[in-house]
Amino acid sequence: MDLLTGRYLIVIQEIPVEVMSMIFAMLDTEYCAVAALVCRLWSGVALDELWRSPPSLLPLFEILGPLIDTENGKDLRSDVVLTARSWALFKSYAARVRRLNYEDNESYPFMSTGLILRALAVHPEGGILPNLRAAYWRVNELGLNHTLAFCPPTLERMSLQVTSEYASVESVERLLSCLSSSLQNRLKFFEFGTTFQPTQDATLSTALKTFLKNQCGLLGLKLPFYPIQEHAAIFETCHAAPQLRTFCGEVLDFTKEMLREAFSELARKGASLRCIGLSRSGAGFGEETIRLADVEPLLQLSAIEDIRLWFECNLELEVRDIQQMGQAWKGLTSLFLYSSEGQGIPIARLVAFAEWFPALQRFAADFDCSKYIPTAYEVPCRFKRLRRLILLGVWIADDATSRIAEFLAMVCGPNVNVAVGLYGLDSFEIFDEEWDWMIGDYAHEVGGIRERMDAFYRAQEGIQRMY
């Protein structure tokens, strides 16, 4: 206590390490590096943050000495002598890495297999990165050989994307087989995809199923670039991981009957599911129409919070369908409905969504703004918790802009961020965590919708003050 002011003073040494970690996590890399030079206490915490997620493996291996380019990738110069002190320093920084991003491309520094084997020799038990929690791999044949060296027992989240330019199906099968034993029942989240042809992906089915069966504690599974070609695969996945909370994938050439069966499998075995993302693609579906009856089994998932559906056909929802969905999914907070064909959901049905989805916070769908637009007097309710609304594939005529802006202002309220997307989205984008409802280049300001909505709110406020 300060005797002059009577206030308690806290010195730096008394700040808990956990609090300091939270503070340093919000700093830019440059300022975090400066903080590491302040004192020994700050240095340890700041270095942990700096090395938590390095941009590549290059800074780590440069600790051992200068690296040169060889035919097999980055390697140490032949005159570099590695001592016990060099390896101890390397291990001290390697232990700080919690997240790894690894890509096989011209811009990413590729480590030679020989160098990785030398590093692995001094990490016989926990792997080169013994405290790694998440690994994101974008690899070809050479990168596949390195994956196992960075899969310690602590690994909980893994994303594996394989490019077919150099990799073979057999090599991916061998990798999945090895991962099945080395990571048995350890992963919480897994993402998998390839750029193989569908016929080649089908041959990976057995290896992938075996891998997933050995991950009974899985909470999240995403297959954005691995088309599912049989609904039984969905059943086996849900059965193997009874605690699964997130399932996202693409189904290929599923008829409407097969699609309904797939949804039935999710409903029967996915009682723990909180997030579902499913895209349906294939030839000859453009003239079809998906209705509520085709996805009705999903209504059994009463605890669902996030639904993302992407169809290469028309999607048709009546007001009574929206009512049924809202009554079934009372806790739904995020809804994405995209159809690449057809005109979209009539914009007037936003009123039904507002009435029957009280918990909805984020909503994106294809809307048709060419049909009847309700007036302000015909909007009996508005969204209660909505914060983000994205109108996908929307074209708005100039003479309808004011009416649509007034309608959106009434049904959404002033706290809703409204965006208009002139173009559609690829199916894999809705499964990407980085998408995060911002839609980037797809978002356009059409006819000053946002400005007109704001003007409407200001006019309402002025009228209320008058009375």
Side-chain angles (χ1 to χ4, degrees):
M1 176 185 289
D2 189 329
L3 298 178
L4 296 177
T5 63
R7 297 177 180 177
Y8 284 96
L9 301 179
I10 299 178
V11 296
I12 291 177
Q13 288 76 9
E14 294 178 353
I15 300 177
V17 173
E18 294 79 6
V19 176
M20 293 178 62
S21 297
M22 296 172 63
I23 294 173
F24 290 152
M26 293 185 287
L27 296 178
D28 293 335
T29 302
E30 179 183 351
Y31 293 107
C32 198
V34 172
L37 303 176
V38 172
C39 64
R40 185 169 298 177
L41 176 62
W42 280 32
S43 177
V45 181
L47 286 175
D48 285 343
E49 188 58 39
L50 284 171
W51 285 89
R52 181 178 299 277
S53 180
S56 71
L57 290 171
L58 185 63
L60 180 63
F61 281 93
E62 283 181 330
I63 294 174
L64 298 173
L67 299 178
I68 60 174
D69 291 317
T70 69
E71 294 181 356
N72 300 317
K74 296 282 186 180
D75 206 339
L76 291 170
R77 287 191 337 213
S78 58
D79 60 342
V80 174
V81 178
L82 295 178
T83 64
R85 183 177 180 181
S86 300
W87 283 117
L89 185 62
F90 177 89
K91 294 173 70 173
S92 68
Y93 283 95
R96 289 185 162 100
V97 179
R98 297 295 188 272
R99 174 188 171 113
L100 174 64
N101 288 286
Y102 192 103
E103 296 187 29
D104 283 347
N105 56 49
E106 296 179 356
S107 62
Y108 190 93
F110 186 78
M111 300 297 114
S112 69
T113 301
L115 182 57
I116 288 180
L117 289 177
R118 294 170 71 180
L120 193 59
V122 299
H123 295 81
E125 297 180 0
I128 297 177
L129 306 176
N131 297 314
L132 191 66
R133 296 289 189 273
Y136 300 85
W137 298 88
R138 306 292 184 271
V139 295
N140 54 37
E141 185 77 32
L142 293 175
L144 287 175
N145 298 329
H146 299 169
T147 305
L148 291 173
F150 300 93
C151 292
T154 57
L155 194 65
E156 296 179 344
R157 182 185 292 265
M158 184 177 188
S159 174
L160 179 61
Q161 304 293 330
V162 183
T163 59
S164 62
E165 184 177 359
Y166 302 105
S168 64
V169 175
E170 292 75 18
S171 63
V172 179
E173 286 181 307
R174 289 194 297 271
L175 175 62
L176 289 174
S177 177
C178 293
L179 290 174
S180 294
S181 56
S182 63
L183 293 176
Q184 186 171 5
N185 297 329
R186 291 174 180 169
L187 289 181
K188 299 299 182 184
F189 300 92
F190 181 64
E191 182 179 38
F192 179 74
T194 75
T195 57
F196 293 131
Q197 296 297 318
T199 53
Q200 294 174 299
D201 279 327
T203 63
L204 288 174
S205 178
T206 301
L208 183 59
K209 288 178 184 177
T210 302
F211 173 81
L212 294 176
K213 285 180 180 178
N214 288 332
Q215 302 298 330
C216 62
L218 207 62
L219 299 178
L221 175 63
K222 293 185 177 182
L223 305 172
F225 297 101
Y226 179 81
I228 300 170
Q229 301 178 48
E230 51 181 6
H231 62 78
I234 297 177
F235 165 78
E236 293 176 3
T237 299
C238 294
H239 183 73
Q243 300 178 2
L244 193 69
R245 295 177 63 87
T246 298
F247 177 84
C248 296
E250 175 189 0
V251 295
L252 180 65
D253 293 331
F254 271 36
T255 64
K256 293 207 296 186
E257 292 73 20
M258 294 172 64
L259 184 65
R260 182 182 172 89
E261 185 61 30
F263 287 140
S264 296
E265 300 291 0
L266 288 172
R268 282 196 294 266
K269 292 296 182 179
S272 63
L273 283 173
R274 296 296 181 271
C275 174
I276 289 179
L278 203 68
S279 68
R280 174 186 182 243
S281 60
F285 293 143
E287 297 181 358
E288 282 191 348
T289 297
I290 294 292
R291 297 180 174 84
L292 180 61
D294 301 310
V295 301
E296 189 175 8
L298 291 182
L299 297 181
Q300 301 174 37
L301 298 173
S302 58
I304 198 74
E305 298 173 359
D306 187 346
I307 293 180
R308 303 184 182 192
L309 301 177
W310 189 98
F311 299 114
E312 280 190 350
C313 60
N314 184 37
L315 175 64
E316 185 175 295
L317 291 176
E318 302 293 338
V319 172
R320 61 179 179 275
D321 299 330
I322 298 171
Q323 178 181 349
Q324 281 185 260
M325 293 160 59
Q327 290 173 334
W329 303 327
K330 295 181 179 179
L332 194 71
T333 60
S334 181
L335 179 61
F336 182 102
L337 300 172
Y338 178 76
S339 56
S340 62
E341 304 295 333
Q343 295 182 320
I345 302 170
I347 191 70
R349 291 187 187 153
L350 265 180
V351 177
F353 281 103
E355 180 179 1
W356 296 105
F357 286 83
L360 199 61
Q361 298 177 19
R362 302 184 302 183
F363 184 26
D366 276 321
F367 287 100
D368 180 9
C369 296
S370 64
K371 294 183 172 61
Y372 177 73
I373 303 170
T375 65
Y377 300 102
E378 297 174 291
V379 180
C381 60
R382 62 172 45 169
F383 286 101
K384 296 179 175 62
R385 299 184 181 180
L386 194 68
R387 292 295 177 266
R388 181 68 166 162
L389 174 66
I390 300 177
L391 311 180
L392 293 170
V394 169
W395 179 83
I396 301 176
D398 293 338
D399 59 352
T401 303
S402 296
R403 286 181 291 135
I404 290 177
E406 179 184 354
F407 169 69
L408 291 175
M410 289 300 299
V411 76
C412 291
N415 297 322
V416 180
N417 188 335
V418 178
V420 178
L422 291 178
Y423 310 109
L425 296 172
D426 291 326
S427 59
F428 68 88
E429 292 182 272
I430 67 171
F431 306 145
D432 187 1
E433 294 180 2
E434 301 298 327
W435 186 68
D436 196 29
W437 293 83
M438 298 309 295
I439 72 174
D441 294 336
Y442 294 98
H444 297 267
E445 184 59 51
V446 179
I449 290 288
R450 184 70 253 181
E451 285 78 5
R452 299 188 189 206
M453 290 175 63
D454 291 339
F456 182 83
Y457 296 136
R458 290 194 296 271
Q460 275 192 321
E461 293 175 358
I463 293 173
Q464 290 174 357
R465 284 196 294 268
M466 289 176 61
Y467 293 95

